Amino acid sequence: MTLSASPAAEALVTLANEGGGEHESMHSSLNAYAIGGGALAALLLLLWITTRLNRDR
């Protein structure tokens, strides 16, 4: 008895493999350091707001 994937799963695997190296060139304009720095700044701002609102604890 052999196990076979469903046709939907095979279609998804085929679709995922068709892109090849195109995926990297589509997002070449995104700067990882800028995104990480922005996320860090947003989290620090939320932390600061949270600590200002919880002065009674």
Side-chain angles (χ1 to χ4, degrees):
M1 180 174 164
T2 60
L3 295 176
S4 63
S6 70
E10 290 176 8
L12 286 174
V13 169
T14 304
L15 182 64
N17 288 332
E18 283 178 355
E22 295 176 11
H23 190 295
E24 294 177 15
S25 64
M26 290 183 351
H27 299 290
S28 62
S29 64
L30 296 177
N31 186 352
Y33 290 110
I35 294 172
L40 178 63
L43 289 173
L44 287 174
L45 177 65
L46 289 173
L47 179 64
W48 181 79
I49 290 170
T50 302
T51 57
R52 297 305 120 205
L53 293 175
N54 287 329
R55 288 183 182 260
D56 57 338
R57 292 183 187 254

